[in-house]
Amino acid sequence: MTKRNRLEFTVVTIIIGFMIAIQFQSINEPKIRDTRDVWELRADLLKEQKLQANLIKEARNLDQKLASYETEKKQSKEQVLRQTLHELKKEAGLIAIKGPGVIVKIEPLEEELIRQEVDSEISPELLKRLLNELNMYGALHVSINGQRMIHTTVIRDINGITKMDGFPLTQFPIEIKVIAEDANKLRDRLKASQIIEDFFIENLKVHVSVVSQEITLEPYGSVIRIKHLEPIDGENGGDL
């Protein structure tokens, strides 16, 4: 027998012996039996059932929270839309508004009423200049003789009569209500303005008073006519 054959025989013998040893050990190892009695098994089963019930309960709670979040998300979008619509109506003058402000009254000079020589009237240009002054001094919302001013308001002379959105401004006193950022500041700046003297030249006097409590401006009462606007065509037209 050659050395090579001896070596191979030795290796094979070692492997066979190792396998026999492992098999003999596995045969001699005793099987581990479950020695728990019925009550222990029931107790363990009960624990597993409670654990499963808790997991199901937690899963349901998570589902409810998820559904609640989805509902809140939808309601939040609706609330934002309502708030936006309210703000737009407020800016457009379509809802009544309250706030601190001033009342400006325009009336003829007493001397002119006594003499009855000149019919005092307010011109569209002079009234527009006064409104521009009010805007410069912090006016937020304005009404004239109970008629709310909006972005589309037109003040002009129609057949010799000054009208605002079709309403004549011929009856004195003309009362202008103004809601302002700072009512006292607006009053002081208006009283020091050149516009007061301009009214005096036109035989009119301007009285400015700060309202101690909130004043209310009624919403715009006429129909708002919008021109040069068309709806958007297409599947996504009008979608937010």
Side-chain angles (χ1 to χ4, degrees), residues 8 16 33 44 46 59 63-64 70 75 81 83 92 120 123 142 161 165 172 177 187 201 216 218 224:
E8 291 177 355
I16 293 174
R33 297 180 58 188
D44 293 339
L46 183 61
D63 289 338
Q64 291 177 355
E70 291 296 331
Q75 292 177 349
L81 289 176
Q83 183 65 26
S120 298
S123 66
V142 178
I161 299 175
D165 289 340
F172 290 97
K177 292 183 178 180
R187 178 197 58 186
I201 294 173
T216 301
E218 297 300 324
I224 299 179

Side-chain angles (χ1 to χ4, degrees), residues 140-177:
L140 299 176
H141 306 279
V142 178
S143 70
I144 302 177
N145 285 354
Q147 301 298 324
R148 185 76 170 270
M149 284 194 64
I150 61 175
H151 295 297
T152 58
T153 292
V154 176
I155 299 174
R156 58 185 175 180
D157 186 308
I158 301 177
N159 298 325
I161 299 175
T162 299
K163 294 185 177 182
M164 184 187 79
D165 289 340
F167 295 95
L169 300 176
T170 55
Q171 298 295 325
F172 290 97
I174 295 175
E175 185 179 74
I176 303 176
K177 292 183 178 180

Side-chain angles (χ1 to χ4, degrees), residues 199-211:
F199 271 87
F200 185 83
I201 294 173
E202 296 295 328
N203 302 314
L204 297 170
K205 65 177 180 179
V206 178
H207 177 72
V208 186
S209 61
V210 174
V211 181

Side-chain angles (χ1 to χ4, degrees), residues 21-73:
I22 292 176
Q23 184 176 4
F24 179 78
Q25 184 178 2
S26 62
I27 293 174
N28 291 334
E29 286 182 352
K31 294 182 178 180
I32 300 175
R33 297 180 58 188
D34 192 346
T35 59
R36 295 178 297 176
D37 57 17
V38 176
W39 294 108
E40 291 178 340
L41 293 174
R42 288 181 177 179
D44 293 339
L45 179 60
L46 183 61
K47 290 181 181 179
E48 294 295 331
Q49 290 176 343
K50 288 183 178 180
L51 178 60
Q52 183 179 7
N54 290 333
L55 292 175
I56 293 174
K57 183 178 179 180
E58 186 176 353
R60 288 177 179 175
N61 290 336
L62 292 175
D63 289 338
Q64 291 177 355
K65 288 182 179 180
L66 181 61
S68 176
Y69 291 153
E70 291 296 331
T71 302
E72 290 179 0
K73 185 178 180 181

